[in-house]
Every structure is written in structure tokens, then in C-alpha cells.
Short mmCIF file of all heavy atoms in Angstrom, two decimals:
data_model
loop_
_atom_site.label_atom_id
_atom_site.label_comp_id
_atom_site.label_asym_id
_atom_site.label_seq_id
_atom_site.Cartn_x
_atom_site.Cartn_y
_atom_site.Cartn_z
N MET K 30 0.81 -1.18 0.00
CA MET K 30 0.01 0.00 -0.01
C MET K 30 0.87 1.28 0.00
O MET K 30 0.56 2.25 -0.65
CB MET K 30 -0.90 -0.02 1.23
CG MET K 30 -1.93 1.09 1.22
SD MET K 30 -3.11 0.93 2.56
CE MET K 30 -2.47 2.07 3.70
N THR K 31 1.97 1.21 0.69
CA THR K 31 2.87 2.34 0.75
C THR K 31 3.47 2.65 -0.61
O THR K 31 3.57 3.82 -1.02
CB THR K 31 3.99 2.12 1.77
OG1 THR K 31 3.39 1.85 3.07
CG2 THR K 31 4.91 3.30 1.90
N ALA K 32 3.87 1.61 -1.32
CA ALA K 32 4.45 1.80 -2.64
C ALA K 32 3.42 2.42 -3.59
O ALA K 32 3.74 3.30 -4.39
CB ALA K 32 4.94 0.48 -3.21
N ALA K 33 2.17 1.97 -3.50
CA ALA K 33 1.12 2.52 -4.35
C ALA K 33 0.82 3.97 -3.99
O ALA K 33 0.58 4.81 -4.85
CB ALA K 33 -0.13 1.66 -4.24
N ALA K 34 0.86 4.28 -2.69
CA ALA K 34 0.58 5.65 -2.24
C ALA K 34 1.64 6.61 -2.72
O ALA K 34 1.34 7.77 -2.97
CB ALA K 34 0.47 5.67 -0.72
N LEU K 35 2.87 6.15 -2.86
CA LEU K 35 3.94 7.04 -3.35
C LEU K 35 3.79 7.34 -4.84
O LEU K 35 4.33 8.33 -5.30
CB LEU K 35 5.30 6.38 -3.09
CG LEU K 35 5.71 6.24 -1.63
CD1 LEU K 35 6.97 5.41 -1.52
CD2 LEU K 35 5.88 7.59 -0.97
N CYS K 36 3.06 6.46 -5.56
CA CYS K 36 2.97 6.60 -7.00
C CYS K 36 1.60 7.05 -7.49
O CYS K 36 1.37 7.10 -8.67
CB CYS K 36 3.31 5.27 -7.64
SG CYS K 36 4.97 4.69 -7.30
N VAL K 37 0.68 7.37 -6.61
CA VAL K 37 -0.67 7.68 -6.99
C VAL K 37 -0.80 9.13 -7.46
O VAL K 37 -0.05 10.00 -7.00
CB VAL K 37 -1.66 7.36 -5.85
CG1 VAL K 37 -1.54 8.34 -4.71
CG2 VAL K 37 -3.08 7.29 -6.32
N ASN K 38 -1.75 9.39 -8.34
CA ASN K 38 -2.04 10.75 -8.79
C ASN K 38 -3.55 10.88 -8.96
O ASN K 38 -4.09 10.84 -10.07
CB ASN K 38 -1.30 11.05 -10.11
CG ASN K 38 -1.50 12.49 -10.54
OD1 ASN K 38 -1.75 13.33 -9.73
ND2 ASN K 38 -1.38 12.75 -11.82
N THR K 39 -4.25 11.03 -7.86
CA THR K 39 -5.68 11.28 -7.90
C THR K 39 -5.99 12.50 -7.01
O THR K 39 -5.53 13.58 -7.34
CB THR K 39 -6.47 10.05 -7.42
OG1 THR K 39 -6.00 9.63 -6.12
CG2 THR K 39 -6.35 8.88 -8.37
N LEU K 40 -6.68 12.33 -5.93
CA LEU K 40 -6.88 13.43 -4.98
C LEU K 40 -5.59 13.83 -4.31
O LEU K 40 -5.37 14.97 -3.96
CB LEU K 40 -7.91 13.05 -3.94
CG LEU K 40 -9.33 12.79 -4.45
CD1 LEU K 40 -10.21 12.25 -3.31
CD2 LEU K 40 -9.92 14.02 -5.08
N TYR K 41 -4.76 12.85 -4.09
CA TYR K 41 -3.43 13.06 -3.52
C TYR K 41 -2.40 12.71 -4.58
O TYR K 41 -2.56 11.71 -5.30
CB TYR K 41 -3.28 12.12 -2.28
CG TYR K 41 -1.85 11.93 -1.87
CD1 TYR K 41 -1.16 12.91 -1.15
CD2 TYR K 41 -1.18 10.72 -2.14
CE1 TYR K 41 0.15 12.70 -0.76
CE2 TYR K 41 0.11 10.50 -1.76
CZ TYR K 41 0.77 11.51 -1.06
OH TYR K 41 2.07 11.32 -0.66
N THR K 42 -1.37 13.48 -4.68
CA THR K 42 -0.27 13.19 -5.62
C THR K 42 0.95 12.81 -4.83
O THR K 42 1.49 13.61 -4.08
CB THR K 42 0.03 14.39 -6.52
OG1 THR K 42 -1.15 14.75 -7.23
CG2 THR K 42 1.13 14.06 -7.51
N GLY K 43 1.37 11.56 -5.01
CA GLY K 43 2.55 11.07 -4.31
C GLY K 43 3.82 11.67 -4.89
O GLY K 43 3.83 12.20 -6.00
N PRO K 44 4.91 11.60 -4.13
CA PRO K 44 6.16 12.22 -4.56
C PRO K 44 6.73 11.58 -5.85
O PRO K 44 7.31 12.31 -6.67
CB PRO K 44 7.11 12.03 -3.40
CG PRO K 44 6.50 10.95 -2.56
CD PRO K 44 5.04 10.97 -2.81
N ILE K 45 6.54 10.30 -6.05
CA ILE K 45 7.07 9.70 -7.28
C ILE K 45 6.22 10.10 -8.47
O ILE K 45 6.76 10.42 -9.54
CB ILE K 45 7.12 8.14 -7.11
CG1 ILE K 45 8.13 7.78 -6.03
CG2 ILE K 45 7.46 7.47 -8.43
CD1 ILE K 45 8.18 6.29 -5.68
N ALA K 46 4.92 10.17 -8.28
CA ALA K 46 4.04 10.60 -9.36
C ALA K 46 4.32 12.07 -9.71
O ALA K 46 4.31 12.46 -10.88
CB ALA K 46 2.57 10.43 -8.98
N ALA K 47 4.59 12.88 -8.72
CA ALA K 47 4.87 14.30 -8.97
C ALA K 47 6.20 14.43 -9.74
O ALA K 47 6.32 15.26 -10.65
CB ALA K 47 4.96 15.06 -7.65
N ALA K 48 7.18 13.60 -9.37
CA ALA K 48 8.50 13.66 -10.05
C ALA K 48 8.40 13.19 -11.51
O ALA K 48 9.18 13.61 -12.34
CB ALA K 48 9.52 12.82 -9.29
N LEU K 49 7.40 12.33 -11.79
CA LEU K 49 7.22 11.81 -13.13
C LEU K 49 6.19 12.60 -13.92
O LEU K 49 5.67 12.12 -14.92
CB LEU K 49 6.84 10.35 -13.08
CG LEU K 49 7.88 9.40 -12.52
CD1 LEU K 49 7.32 8.01 -12.39
CD2 LEU K 49 9.13 9.40 -13.39
N GLY K 50 5.87 13.77 -13.49
CA GLY K 50 4.97 14.64 -14.21
C GLY K 50 3.50 14.22 -14.10
O GLY K 50 2.72 14.44 -15.02
N GLY K 51 3.10 13.60 -13.04
CA GLY K 51 1.72 13.19 -12.82
C GLY K 51 1.37 11.80 -13.30
O GLY K 51 0.20 11.40 -13.36
N LEU K 52 2.37 11.03 -13.69
CA LEU K 52 2.13 9.65 -14.17
C LEU K 52 1.72 8.78 -12.99
O LEU K 52 2.41 8.66 -11.99
CB LEU K 52 3.42 9.10 -14.81
CG LEU K 52 3.34 7.70 -15.40
CD1 LEU K 52 2.35 7.69 -16.56
CD2 LEU K 52 4.71 7.29 -15.89
N ASP K 53 0.53 8.17 -13.09
CA ASP K 53 -0.04 7.34 -12.02
C ASP K 53 0.45 5.90 -12.20
O ASP K 53 -0.08 5.17 -13.03
CB ASP K 53 -1.55 7.40 -12.04
CG ASP K 53 -2.20 6.77 -10.82
OD1 ASP K 53 -1.47 6.07 -10.06
OD2 ASP K 53 -3.38 6.92 -10.64
N LEU K 54 1.41 5.50 -11.43
CA LEU K 54 1.93 4.15 -11.46
C LEU K 54 1.53 3.32 -10.23
O LEU K 54 2.17 2.35 -9.86
CB LEU K 54 3.47 4.16 -11.58
CG LEU K 54 4.03 4.72 -12.86
CD1 LEU K 54 5.54 4.82 -12.77
CD2 LEU K 54 3.62 3.86 -14.03
N SER K 55 0.46 3.75 -9.56
CA SER K 55 0.09 3.08 -8.32
C SER K 55 -0.28 1.62 -8.50
O SER K 55 0.11 0.76 -7.69
CB SER K 55 -1.04 3.82 -7.64
OG SER K 55 -2.20 3.89 -8.46
N LEU K 56 -1.00 1.27 -9.52
CA LEU K 56 -1.39 -0.13 -9.74
C LEU K 56 -0.21 -1.01 -10.07
O LEU K 56 0.00 -2.02 -9.37
CB LEU K 56 -2.47 -0.20 -10.83
CG LEU K 56 -3.05 -1.60 -11.07
CD1 LEU K 56 -3.74 -2.12 -9.81
CD2 LEU K 56 -4.01 -1.59 -12.22
N PRO K 57 0.61 -0.71 -11.06
CA PRO K 57 1.75 -1.60 -11.29
C PRO K 57 2.76 -1.64 -10.11
O PRO K 57 3.31 -2.68 -9.82
CB PRO K 57 2.42 -1.04 -12.56
CG PRO K 57 1.73 0.18 -12.92
CD PRO K 57 0.51 0.33 -12.07
N ALA K 58 2.97 -0.50 -9.46
CA ALA K 58 3.90 -0.48 -8.35
C ALA K 58 3.37 -1.32 -7.18
O ALA K 58 4.10 -2.09 -6.57
CB ALA K 58 4.14 0.96 -7.87
N GLY K 59 2.08 -1.16 -6.88
CA GLY K 59 1.48 -1.94 -5.79
C GLY K 59 1.49 -3.43 -6.06
O GLY K 59 1.80 -4.25 -5.20
N MET K 60 1.20 -3.80 -7.29
CA MET K 60 1.17 -5.24 -7.67
C MET K 60 2.60 -5.82 -7.63
O MET K 60 2.78 -6.95 -7.13
CB MET K 60 0.56 -5.40 -9.06
CG MET K 60 -0.91 -5.14 -9.07
SD MET K 60 -1.64 -5.21 -10.74
CE MET K 60 -1.33 -6.90 -11.17
N THR K 61 3.54 -5.08 -8.13
CA THR K 61 4.91 -5.60 -8.15
C THR K 61 5.51 -5.75 -6.74
O THR K 61 6.08 -6.80 -6.42
CB THR K 61 5.80 -4.64 -8.98
OG1 THR K 61 5.27 -4.55 -10.29
CG2 THR K 61 7.23 -5.13 -9.05
N VAL K 62 5.32 -4.74 -5.93
CA VAL K 62 5.84 -4.81 -4.56
C VAL K 62 5.18 -5.88 -3.76
O VAL K 62 5.80 -6.66 -3.05
CB VAL K 62 5.75 -3.44 -3.86
CG1 VAL K 62 6.08 -3.53 -2.37
CG2 VAL K 62 6.64 -2.44 -4.55
N SER K 63 3.84 -6.02 -3.89
CA SER K 63 3.15 -7.07 -3.13
C SER K 63 3.54 -8.44 -3.59
O SER K 63 3.70 -9.36 -2.77
CB SER K 63 1.64 -6.88 -3.22
OG SER K 63 1.17 -7.01 -4.55
N ALA K 64 3.77 -8.66 -4.89
CA ALA K 64 4.21 -9.97 -5.38
C ALA K 64 5.60 -10.29 -4.88
O ALA K 64 5.87 -11.45 -4.49
CB ALA K 64 4.19 -9.97 -6.91
N LEU K 65 6.50 -9.30 -4.83
CA LEU K 65 7.84 -9.57 -4.32
C LEU K 65 7.83 -9.86 -2.82
O LEU K 65 8.52 -10.76 -2.39
CB LEU K 65 8.72 -8.34 -4.61
CG LEU K 65 9.11 -8.11 -6.07
CD1 LEU K 65 9.83 -6.81 -6.23
CD2 LEU K 65 9.92 -9.27 -6.58
N VAL K 66 7.04 -9.13 -2.06
CA VAL K 66 6.92 -9.40 -0.63
C VAL K 66 6.36 -10.78 -0.37
O VAL K 66 6.85 -11.53 0.47
CB VAL K 66 6.09 -8.30 0.07
CG1 VAL K 66 5.75 -8.70 1.49
CG2 VAL K 66 6.82 -6.98 0.05
N TYR K 67 5.34 -11.17 -1.13
CA TYR K 67 4.76 -12.50 -0.98
C TYR K 67 5.77 -13.58 -1.32
O TYR K 67 5.91 -14.56 -0.55
CB TYR K 67 3.54 -12.64 -1.93
CG TYR K 67 2.88 -13.97 -1.85
CD1 TYR K 67 1.97 -14.24 -0.83
CD2 TYR K 67 3.15 -14.95 -2.80
CE1 TYR K 67 1.36 -15.49 -0.74
CE2 TYR K 67 2.55 -16.20 -2.72
CZ TYR K 67 1.66 -16.46 -1.70
OH TYR K 67 1.05 -17.67 -1.63
N ALA K 68 6.56 -13.41 -2.37
CA ALA K 68 7.56 -14.40 -2.75
C ALA K 68 8.63 -14.55 -1.67
O ALA K 68 9.04 -15.65 -1.34
CB ALA K 68 8.19 -14.01 -4.10
N VAL K 69 9.05 -13.44 -1.14
CA VAL K 69 10.08 -13.48 -0.07
C VAL K 69 9.54 -14.14 1.19
O VAL K 69 10.21 -14.96 1.80
CB VAL K 69 10.59 -12.06 0.25
CG1 VAL K 69 11.41 -12.03 1.49
CG2 VAL K 69 11.40 -11.55 -0.93
N LEU K 70 8.33 -13.83 1.55
CA LEU K 70 7.76 -14.41 2.80
C LEU K 70 7.42 -15.87 2.65
O LEU K 70 7.45 -16.61 3.64
CB LEU K 70 6.51 -13.60 3.22
CG LEU K 70 6.75 -12.21 3.67
CD1 LEU K 70 5.43 -11.48 4.01
CD2 LEU K 70 7.67 -12.16 4.89
N MET K 71 7.11 -16.34 1.44
CA MET K 71 6.70 -17.72 1.25
C MET K 71 7.86 -18.66 0.88
O MET K 71 7.66 -19.85 0.79
CB MET K 71 5.64 -17.81 0.15
CG MET K 71 4.34 -17.15 0.56
SD MET K 71 3.60 -17.79 2.06
CE MET K 71 3.10 -19.42 1.50
N ARG K 72 9.05 -18.13 0.72
CA ARG K 72 10.15 -19.00 0.26
C ARG K 72 10.50 -20.09 1.27
O ARG K 72 11.03 -21.13 0.86
CB ARG K 72 11.38 -18.16 -0.10
CG ARG K 72 12.03 -17.54 1.12
CD ARG K 72 13.30 -16.80 0.75
NE ARG K 72 13.83 -16.25 1.97
CZ ARG K 72 14.33 -15.08 2.11
NH1 ARG K 72 14.42 -14.30 1.04
NH2 ARG K 72 14.79 -14.67 3.25
N ASN K 73 10.26 -19.92 2.53
CA ASN K 73 10.58 -20.93 3.55
C ASN K 73 9.34 -21.52 4.21
O ASN K 73 9.43 -22.15 5.25
CB ASN K 73 11.48 -20.35 4.65
CG ASN K 73 12.86 -20.05 4.05
OD1 ASN K 73 13.38 -20.76 3.21
ND2 ASN K 73 13.48 -18.99 4.57
N ASP K 74 8.18 -21.34 3.59
CA ASP K 74 6.94 -21.89 4.14
C ASP K 74 6.96 -23.42 4.00
O ASP K 74 7.38 -23.95 3.00
CB ASP K 74 5.75 -21.29 3.39
CG ASP K 74 4.44 -21.72 4.00
OD1 ASP K 74 4.26 -21.40 5.22
OD2 ASP K 74 3.64 -22.36 3.30
N ARG K 75 6.47 -24.10 5.05
CA ARG K 75 6.50 -25.58 5.04
C ARG K 75 5.68 -26.18 3.90
O ARG K 75 6.10 -27.14 3.27
CB ARG K 75 5.98 -26.11 6.38
CG ARG K 75 6.93 -25.97 7.49
CD ARG K 75 6.37 -26.66 8.72
NE ARG K 75 6.65 -25.75 9.85
CZ ARG K 75 5.82 -25.51 10.82
NH1 ARG K 75 4.68 -26.08 10.89
NH2 ARG K 75 6.19 -24.69 11.77
N THR K 76 4.52 -25.62 3.61
CA THR K 76 3.69 -26.20 2.55
C THR K 76 4.32 -26.00 1.16
O THR K 76 4.25 -26.88 0.32
CB THR K 76 2.29 -25.61 2.58
OG1 THR K 76 2.36 -24.18 2.48
CG2 THR K 76 1.55 -25.97 3.84
N VAL K 77 4.96 -24.88 1.00
CA VAL K 77 5.64 -24.62 -0.30
C VAL K 77 6.85 -25.56 -0.44
O VAL K 77 7.06 -26.12 -1.50
CB VAL K 77 6.07 -23.16 -0.42
CG1 VAL K 77 6.88 -22.91 -1.66
CG2 VAL K 77 4.86 -22.27 -0.40
N LEU K 78 7.60 -25.72 0.63
CA LEU K 78 8.76 -26.61 0.60
C LEU K 78 8.34 -28.06 0.36
O LEU K 78 8.99 -28.81 -0.38
CB LEU K 78 9.56 -26.51 1.89
CG LEU K 78 10.27 -25.16 2.12
CD1 LEU K 78 10.93 -25.13 3.50
CD2 LEU K 78 11.28 -24.88 1.02
N ALA K 79 7.21 -28.48 0.97
CA ALA K 79 6.72 -29.84 0.76
C ALA K 79 6.24 -30.01 -0.68
O ALA K 79 6.48 -31.09 -1.28
CB ALA K 79 5.55 -30.13 1.72
N ALA K 80 5.63 -29.05 -1.27
CA ALA K 80 5.17 -29.14 -2.66
C ALA K 80 6.36 -29.20 -3.60
O ALA K 80 6.35 -29.94 -4.60
CB ALA K 80 4.28 -27.96 -3.01
N ARG K 81 7.42 -28.48 -3.29
CA ARG K 81 8.61 -28.56 -4.13
C ARG K 81 9.29 -29.89 -4.04
O ARG K 81 9.83 -30.40 -5.02
CB ARG K 81 9.61 -27.46 -3.70
CG ARG K 81 9.22 -26.08 -4.11
CD ARG K 81 10.30 -25.09 -3.69
NE ARG K 81 9.81 -23.74 -3.81
CZ ARG K 81 10.31 -22.72 -3.17
NH1 ARG K 81 11.29 -22.89 -2.32
NH2 ARG K 81 9.83 -21.51 -3.33
N ALA K 82 9.27 -30.50 -2.86
CA ALA K 82 9.92 -31.80 -2.66
C ALA K 82 9.15 -32.91 -3.40
O ALA K 82 9.80 -33.85 -3.89
CB ALA K 82 9.99 -32.14 -1.17
N GLU K 83 7.87 -32.79 -3.53
CA GLU K 83 7.06 -33.79 -4.24
C GLU K 83 7.25 -33.72 -5.75
O GLU K 83 7.08 -34.72 -6.45
CB GLU K 83 5.59 -33.65 -3.90
CG GLU K 83 5.27 -33.99 -2.49
CD GLU K 83 3.79 -33.74 -2.12
OE1 GLU K 83 3.01 -33.41 -3.03
OE2 GLU K 83 3.46 -33.87 -0.96
N ALA K 84 7.53 -32.57 -6.26
CA ALA K 84 7.60 -32.36 -7.73
C ALA K 84 8.87 -32.90 -8.31
O ALA K 84 9.82 -33.23 -7.86
CB ALA K 84 7.43 -30.89 -8.06
#
């Protein structure tokens, strides 16, 4: 949510959006950061490790 808030350009203009001339990158930035955080947090999860061992 923080990454998206920095890139939003609606009622509030985040600093990254302002630096890019009003370009609203909140959706791609939010999706990318959340996917990376999910991947990092799940890399040592027991169910994921068990599924990898079966394959």
C-alpha cells in the first residue's frame, strides 16, 4: 500500500508521481511490490517446501 501511495495521482499526488509529471503508477507499483513481498515471505513456508519436494 505504501508503494502505491507514493505513485498515486488522484486526490493526492505522491512524490514519485509528482516527479514523473503526474504519471499514475500506483497499480503496477502496488502489484509488483506485493508480489515480491509475498515471494520473499513464502520461500521458507512448510507447505511450499513440501510441494517442491514432491515435484
Side-chain angles (χ1 to χ4, degrees):
M30 187 172 101
T31 303
L35 293 173
C36 299
V37 72
N38 184 24
T39 54
L40 296 174
Y41 162 76
T42 302
I45 294 174
L49 295 174
L52 183 62
D53 189 351
L54 294 174
S55 59
L56 185 62
M60 290 175 63
T61 303
V62 170
S63 63
L65 290 173
V66 169
Y67 180 82
V69 168
L70 292 177
M71 294 303 290
R72 69 176 180 221
N73 291 326
D74 186 60
R75 284 186 223 140
T76 56
V77 174
L78 293 174
R81 286 183 191 157
E83 291 176 7

